[in-house]
Amino acid sequence: MKEQNEHCRKTSYKKVGYDLKLIIIDQIQNAQISINHASDKYQVSRASIYYWLKKYSTLEQKKQGMSKKDEIKKLKEKIEELEFVKDFQQDIIADMELITGVDMSKKSLPKTLADEIEKKKQNRLKENG
């Protein structure tokens, strides 16, 4: 009769120093290596690597001095800025199309953007009579 312990071998892992942890995390974050491959290569459990990644990301946020709320606020401000730039560019394109009579947006822009510019042109025509 076979022993039951034969199938339940526990994988032994070695202890990893701080410098090696940072190297492993860096390789994973730069897509040089997968977590599974790192686990096999360095004989470290995947759970440990996930833990290091989580710990390291919060450590990086502390170094940058930015909380999640601050990061979200900054991203929202960037979105507002980009929307303003997009609206400004669309206004310029709409004005140019009205002046020249050439529909540039329909030929070179995605349909959704071309439709937005067409609406701006229609609003301009209504305003100017």
Side-chain angles (χ1 to χ4, degrees):
M1 198 171 198
K2 292 184 181 181
E3 288 185 34
Q4 289 182 356
N5 291 342
E6 207 173 290
H7 297 290
C8 300
R9 274 188 272 154
K10 185 177 178 182
T11 307
S12 61
Y13 297 111
K14 61 182 179 181
K15 289 191 175 192
V16 177
Y18 182 74
D19 292 335
L20 184 57
K21 288 178 187 178
L22 292 180
I23 290 170
I24 294 170
I25 290 167
D26 186 55
Q27 288 178 345
I28 292 169
Q29 288 180 335
N30 291 325
Q32 296 172 339
I33 192 172
S34 70
I35 292 174
N36 288 336
H37 187 74
S39 175
D40 292 339
K41 181 177 179 180
Y42 296 106
Q43 293 298 304
V44 180
S45 71
R46 288 189 309 272
S48 294
I49 294 173
Y50 282 114
Y51 174 76
W52 300 338
L53 285 166
K54 183 178 178 183
K55 188 175 179 180
Y56 181 75
S57 67
T58 57
L59 208 140
E60 280 298 306
Q61 285 178 348
K62 287 179 184 177
K63 282 183 185 177
Q64 293 174 354
M66 188 180 296
S67 68
K68 290 265 188 204
K69 288 182 182 179
D70 291 339
E71 189 175 357
I72 290 169
K73 183 180 176 183
K74 187 176 178 181
L75 290 172
K76 284 182 179 179
E77 289 171 358
K78 185 67 176 175
I79 289 170
E80 286 179 22
E81 178 186 335
L82 292 172
E83 285 176 347
F84 175 79
V85 169
K86 181 185 109 182
D87 286 339
F88 181 72
Q89 290 171 340
Q90 286 179 343
D91 288 339
I92 290 173
I93 292 170
D95 288 342
M96 288 300 295
E97 286 184 357
L98 287 172
I99 293 168
T100 62
V102 178
D103 288 334
M104 296 178 285
S105 60
K106 289 181 182 176
K107 296 176 185 175
S108 58
L109 294 176
K111 185 176 180 351
T112 54
L113 291 175
D115 291 344
E116 288 179 23
I117 292 171
E118 187 62 33
K119 287 179 186 175
K120 287 181 183 268
K121 282 175 34 181
Q122 297 301 324
N123 289 337
R124 292 259 200 280
L125 289 172
K126 286 179 187 176
E127 289 173 3
N128 295 334

